[in-house]
Structure formats: structure tokens, C-alpha cells
Amino acid sequence: MCDGIDLVGESGFDGEWHVDGTSGHRSWRSRRIFRLSSGRTRIGRSEKARTGTSNPVLIPTYSPEKERRTLNKNVSVLIGSLRRGSYARKIAHNLINYFPDNYNASIIEIRNLPLYDFDYDDPQIIDKPTPPEYTLFRKTIKSSDGVLFVTPENNRTIPACLKNAIDIGSKPNNDVIWQRLPAGIISHSVGRMGGYSSQKNLRLALSYFNMPTPGQPEVFLSQSPTLLDADGHVTQESTVEFLQNYVSRLVQLIEQNTDSR
Ligand SMILES: Cc1cc2nc3c(=O)[nH]c(=O)nc-3n(C[C@H](O)[C@H](O)[C@H](O)COP(=O)(O)O)c2cc1C
């Protein structure tokens, strides 16, 4: 262990020319590249060059901000459909693949969340404890760096399962999991409207929580079955590019908001 960092070994050297400001003398300063147990590397000046000994010691020159940017990020993907053959779910599986390698985007199931009842969160009511499903869901979203909603439309608004999840996350008032969480929103429909009304209603429900969202273009996927092949893959190049672009903009937003929660 070195400075609380599990040091696995030294991976190599690199360096840079240093020019003395007064004499103009040029000298080569070697730096060691250290391999950490996390698989990442960290660069420090050669200990030998610094002290004359060769013990591998990390020189604390790295920037915590840069480090935070490169760490793995978690994105929770919420699907507004419970049915087995859901197109929203298939679309979500495609979207998950568009995230960068250091992103862990995964579907968080909402089907087992009991219907929202404020009694569970009311400290005055002691015979209705908070369901463990609420607690787990809240914890999962709170540990996320972003959320991606993929939803169809039911009767011109979002399906009840999704609204239920949003309501559960919106309480208690002093610990709202959605607060300032970057959010991507994608709607679809089997018809031509692309779930427009559903998406707008979702945005309305979230508007209370200061959630940064990617700007234009918004994503309304119309005639969704035609976008998917028999294996559930989005095949049309222009649609893939469009969705990849949306995911990139969400990732950018997450990177920009890393420290704001
Ligand atoms: C109760 C119900 C209401 C629906 N209302 C709408 C609607 O308002 N607008 C629309 O475009 N499609 C509507 N649909 C069609 C759904 O969008 C369609 O079934 C879609 O495939 C569901 O999404 P999924 O494939 O992700 O489960 C409705 C379907 C159901 C079951």
C-alpha cells in the first residue's frame, strides 16, 4: 500500500525535458508510470531521480479532479413498461451499449415497488414501515451518477409503474433522490407520435427536481417496432447515430455535474 493506494507494480517510464529558467540548461526528468490494483495507471517522477534511491514512491502530483472524471460512473436505466416483449426494454438494451467503457449503465427494475403510500414515509405512522423495496431503490438511484428513462406512452402520459417510481424517489422531502441528478429521457410509440405526450408529462413530473437534461434534439422514437430487427437491435445507421449522440450528450452532462450532488 502506498498513500492508501494499492500499488501493483511499475509499468514503465516516460519523462519530459526541463529547461532551467535562468541558465537555459536542459535536463531530462524521468517519470515512472505506476500500475495500480484498480487497473489504472498513475505517473510520478522517478524516485531515483528525486532522491538517489530507487524505492517506488508515488509523488503526489496527480489532480483529484482529473481522477474523479476518469472513475467509473453508474447510470440507472428505468423502463416505463412491465410487459415481457417491451420495445422500450429492447431500445434500452441498445442504449446501454452506447455508453463509454468506464460507464456502468444497467436496468433497475421497478416492477416490484409497492404502490406509493405516503404513510410509509410519515414519521407519525409507526405501524407502516418503509418497504425494503423503497429503501433499496432509493439507495440505488442515490448512488447513480445519472439516470436514463426509456418509456412508452399510456393514455397520453407515462405508464403508472414509472410514475410510481418517480413518486417513491420524491420523498421524503429532505432526501429526494432525483435532486440535481442528470437525466436522459427517451420516449417511443408504436404509432407516429413517438410518445410525445408521455415524454412531456415525464418532463413535467421531473421539473421539480432541478435535474439537468440534454437539450435539443429530444428523442421521440415513432413506429418503434420498425426500428428493431428480430434480435432487438436498432439497425438503421442514422437512428443508431442519433441515439449514440444523445447518450454522448448525457455522458457529457454527467461529467459536468459530477460534483454537484
Ligand atoms: C393502457 C394502454 C394505453 C396506451 N396508450 C397509448 C397512448 O396514449 N399513446 C400511444 O402512442 N400508445 C399507447 N398505447 C400503446 C403502447 O404505446 C404500446 O402498446 C407500446 O408497445 C407499449 O410499450 P412497450 O412495447 O415498451 O411495452 C397504449 C397501450 C396501453 C396498454
Side-chain angles (χ1 to χ4, degrees), residues 79-93:
I79 298 169
S81 172
L82 303 182
R83 78 183 186 95
R84 199 172 293 159
S86 162
Y87 298 118
R89 184 173 289 266
K90 289 175 183 164
I91 293 161
H93 279 291

PDB file of all heavy atoms in Angstrom, residues 79-93:
ATOM      1  N   ILE A  79     -37.227   1.737 -17.080  1.00  0.00           N
ATOM      2  CA  ILE A  79     -38.088   1.443 -18.231  1.00  0.00           C
ATOM      3  C   ILE A  79     -39.561   1.561 -17.824  1.00  0.00           C
ATOM      4  O   ILE A  79     -39.981   0.946 -16.837  1.00  0.00           O
ATOM      5  CB  ILE A  79     -37.801   0.014 -18.746  1.00  0.00           C
ATOM      6  CG1 ILE A  79     -36.345  -0.036 -19.218  1.00  0.00           C
ATOM      7  CG2 ILE A  79     -38.743  -0.373 -19.868  1.00  0.00           C
ATOM      8  CD1 ILE A  79     -35.866  -1.416 -19.493  1.00  0.00           C
ATOM      9  N   GLY A  80     -40.311   2.319 -18.605  1.00  0.00           N
ATOM     10  CA  GLY A  80     -41.724   2.539 -18.276  1.00  0.00           C
ATOM     11  C   GLY A  80     -42.643   1.473 -18.832  1.00  0.00           C
ATOM     12  O   GLY A  80     -43.728   1.794 -19.332  1.00  0.00           O
ATOM     13  N   SER A  81     -42.229   0.238 -18.777  1.00  0.00           N
ATOM     14  CA  SER A  81     -43.088  -0.851 -19.251  1.00  0.00           C
ATOM     15  C   SER A  81     -42.759  -2.119 -18.494  1.00  0.00           C
ATOM     16  O   SER A  81     -41.590  -2.403 -18.233  1.00  0.00           O
ATOM     17  CB  SER A  81     -42.869  -1.090 -20.757  1.00  0.00           C
ATOM     18  OG  SER A  81     -43.553  -2.263 -21.165  1.00  0.00           O
ATOM     19  N   LEU A  82     -43.811  -2.879 -18.159  1.00  0.00           N
ATOM     20  CA  LEU A  82     -43.592  -4.122 -17.421  1.00  0.00           C
ATOM     21  C   LEU A  82     -43.729  -5.347 -18.318  1.00  0.00           C
ATOM     22  O   LEU A  82     -43.396  -6.451 -17.906  1.00  0.00           O
ATOM     23  CB  LEU A  82     -44.599  -4.230 -16.264  1.00  0.00           C
ATOM     24  CG  LEU A  82     -44.607  -3.071 -15.250  1.00  0.00           C
ATOM     25  CD1 LEU A  82     -45.628  -3.355 -14.145  1.00  0.00           C
ATOM     26  CD2 LEU A  82     -43.233  -2.848 -14.643  1.00  0.00           C
ATOM     27  N   ARG A  83     -44.197  -5.153 -19.527  1.00  0.00           N
ATOM     28  CA  ARG A  83     -44.510  -6.344 -20.322  1.00  0.00           C
ATOM     29  C   ARG A  83     -43.240  -6.973 -20.889  1.00  0.00           C
ATOM     30  O   ARG A  83     -42.253  -6.290 -21.167  1.00  0.00           O
ATOM     31  CB  ARG A  83     -45.547  -6.032 -21.388  1.00  0.00           C
ATOM     32  CG  ARG A  83     -45.034  -5.325 -22.586  1.00  0.00           C
ATOM     33  CD  ARG A  83     -46.118  -4.975 -23.580  1.00  0.00           C
ATOM     34  NE  ARG A  83     -45.473  -4.412 -24.760  1.00  0.00           N
ATOM     35  CZ  ARG A  83     -45.163  -5.132 -25.825  1.00  0.00           C
ATOM     36  NH1 ARG A  83     -45.455  -6.408 -25.881  1.00  0.00           N
ATOM     37  NH2 ARG A  83     -44.552  -4.560 -26.856  1.00  0.00           N
ATOM     38  N   ARG A  84     -43.346  -8.283 -21.059  1.00  0.00           N
ATOM     39  CA  ARG A  84     -42.179  -9.083 -21.457  1.00  0.00           C
ATOM     40  C   ARG A  84     -41.567  -8.622 -22.790  1.00  0.00           C
ATOM     41  O   ARG A  84     -40.373  -8.505 -22.930  1.00  0.00           O
ATOM     42  CB  ARG A  84     -42.610 -10.546 -21.549  1.00  0.00           C
ATOM     43  CG  ARG A  84     -41.482 -11.513 -21.498  1.00  0.00           C
ATOM     44  CD  ARG A  84     -42.006 -12.925 -21.393  1.00  0.00           C
ATOM     45  NE  ARG A  84     -42.675 -13.181 -20.119  1.00  0.00           N
ATOM     46  CZ  ARG A  84     -43.552 -14.160 -19.913  1.00  0.00           C
ATOM     47  NH1 ARG A  84     -43.889 -14.958 -20.893  1.00  0.00           N
ATOM     48  NH2 ARG A  84     -44.095 -14.347 -18.733  1.00  0.00           N
ATOM     49  N   GLY A  85     -42.431  -8.374 -23.766  1.00  0.00           N
ATOM     50  CA  GLY A  85     -41.901  -8.065 -25.111  1.00  0.00           C
ATOM     51  C   GLY A  85     -41.675  -6.569 -25.331  1.00  0.00           C
ATOM     52  O   GLY A  85     -41.587  -6.129 -26.486  1.00  0.00           O
ATOM     53  N   SER A  86     -41.559  -5.812 -24.279  1.00  0.00           N
ATOM     54  CA  SER A  86     -41.496  -4.352 -24.363  1.00  0.00           C
ATOM     55  C   SER A  86     -40.443  -3.833 -25.358  1.00  0.00           C
ATOM     56  O   SER A  86     -39.272  -4.202 -25.300  1.00  0.00           O
ATOM     57  CB  SER A  86     -41.199  -3.784 -22.965  1.00  0.00           C
ATOM     58  OG  SER A  86     -40.736  -2.459 -23.071  1.00  0.00           O
ATOM     59  N   TYR A  87     -40.894  -2.950 -26.256  1.00  0.00           N
ATOM     60  CA  TYR A  87     -39.951  -2.302 -27.177  1.00  0.00           C
ATOM     61  C   TYR A  87     -39.050  -1.337 -26.410  1.00  0.00           C
ATOM     62  O   TYR A  87     -37.882  -1.156 -26.753  1.00  0.00           O
ATOM     63  CB  TYR A  87     -40.707  -1.552 -28.280  1.00  0.00           C
ATOM     64  CG  TYR A  87     -41.551  -2.464 -29.135  1.00  0.00           C
ATOM     65  CD1 TYR A  87     -42.935  -2.324 -29.199  1.00  0.00           C
ATOM     66  CD2 TYR A  87     -40.954  -3.485 -29.872  1.00  0.00           C
ATOM     67  CE1 TYR A  87     -43.706  -3.176 -29.970  1.00  0.00           C
ATOM     68  CE2 TYR A  87     -41.729  -4.347 -30.642  1.00  0.00           C
ATOM     69  CZ  TYR A  87     -43.096  -4.186 -30.681  1.00  0.00           C
ATOM     70  OH  TYR A  87     -43.856  -5.048 -31.441  1.00  0.00           O
ATOM     71  N   ALA A  88     -39.601  -0.717 -25.373  1.00  0.00           N
ATOM     72  CA  ALA A  88     -38.790   0.210 -24.570  1.00  0.00           C
ATOM     73  C   ALA A  88     -37.585  -0.533 -23.983  1.00  0.00           C
ATOM     74  O   ALA A  88     -36.465  -0.012 -23.964  1.00  0.00           O
ATOM     75  CB  ALA A  88     -39.637   0.817 -23.451  1.00  0.00           C
ATOM     76  N   ARG A  89     -37.832  -1.736 -23.515  1.00  0.00           N
ATOM     77  CA  ARG A  89     -36.735  -2.530 -22.927  1.00  0.00           C
ATOM     78  C   ARG A  89     -35.691  -2.867 -23.991  1.00  0.00           C
ATOM     79  O   ARG A  89     -34.496  -2.786 -23.753  1.00  0.00           O
ATOM     80  CB  ARG A  89     -37.290  -3.800 -22.276  1.00  0.00           C
ATOM     81  CG  ARG A  89     -36.249  -4.637 -21.548  1.00  0.00           C
ATOM     82  CD  ARG A  89     -36.898  -5.770 -20.787  1.00  0.00           C
ATOM     83  NE  ARG A  89     -37.635  -5.307 -19.618  1.00  0.00           N
ATOM     84  CZ  ARG A  89     -37.120  -5.251 -18.384  1.00  0.00           C
ATOM     85  NH1 ARG A  89     -35.879  -5.637 -18.159  1.00  0.00           N
ATOM     86  NH2 ARG A  89     -37.845  -4.807 -17.375  1.00  0.00           N
ATOM     87  N   LYS A  90     -36.168  -3.226 -25.177  1.00  0.00           N
ATOM     88  CA  LYS A  90     -35.225  -3.554 -26.255  1.00  0.00           C
ATOM     89  C   LYS A  90     -34.397  -2.329 -26.640  1.00  0.00           C
ATOM     90  O   LYS A  90     -33.185  -2.418 -26.842  1.00  0.00           O
ATOM     91  CB  LYS A  90     -35.983  -4.088 -27.475  1.00  0.00           C
ATOM     92  CG  LYS A  90     -36.560  -5.477 -27.223  1.00  0.00           C
ATOM     93  CD  LYS A  90     -37.406  -5.960 -28.378  1.00  0.00           C
ATOM     94  CE  LYS A  90     -37.996  -7.328 -28.019  1.00  0.00           C
ATOM     95  NZ  LYS A  90     -39.102  -7.720 -28.860  1.00  0.00           N
ATOM     96  N   ILE A  91     -35.063  -1.206 -26.711  1.00  0.00           N
ATOM     97  CA  ILE A  91     -34.344   0.039 -27.045  1.00  0.00           C
ATOM     98  C   ILE A  91     -33.312   0.337 -25.958  1.00  0.00           C
ATOM     99  O   ILE A  91     -32.171   0.700 -26.231  1.00  0.00           O
ATOM    100  CB  ILE A  91     -35.348   1.215 -27.213  1.00  0.00           C
ATOM    101  CG1 ILE A  91     -36.229   0.981 -28.440  1.00  0.00           C
ATOM    102  CG2 ILE A  91     -34.627   2.548 -27.298  1.00  0.00           C
ATOM    103  CD1 ILE A  91     -37.516   1.807 -28.458  1.00  0.00           C
ATOM    104  N   ALA A  92     -33.716   0.119 -24.696  1.00  0.00           N
ATOM    105  CA  ALA A  92     -32.805   0.383 -23.567  1.00  0.00           C
ATOM    106  C   ALA A  92     -31.549  -0.482 -23.655  1.00  0.00           C
ATOM    107  O   ALA A  92     -30.441  -0.013 -23.392  1.00  0.00           O
ATOM    108  CB  ALA A  92     -33.532   0.133 -22.244  1.00  0.00           C
ATOM    109  N   HIS A  93     -31.719  -1.744 -24.054  1.00  0.00           N
ATOM    110  CA  HIS A  93     -30.553  -2.634 -24.183  1.00  0.00           C
ATOM    111  C   HIS A  93     -29.574  -2.096 -25.229  1.00  0.00           C
ATOM    112  O   HIS A  93     -28.362  -2.200 -25.064  1.00  0.00           O
ATOM    113  CB  HIS A  93     -30.994  -4.050 -24.543  1.00  0.00           C
ATOM    114  CG  HIS A  93     -31.448  -4.829 -23.343  1.00  0.00           C
ATOM    115  ND1 HIS A  93     -30.574  -5.232 -22.361  1.00  0.00           N
ATOM    116  CD2 HIS A  93     -32.669  -5.255 -22.945  1.00  0.00           C
ATOM    117  CE1 HIS A  93     -31.245  -5.888 -21.417  1.00  0.00           C
ATOM    118  NE2 HIS A  93     -32.527  -5.900 -21.744  1.00  0.00           N
TER     119      HIS A  93
END
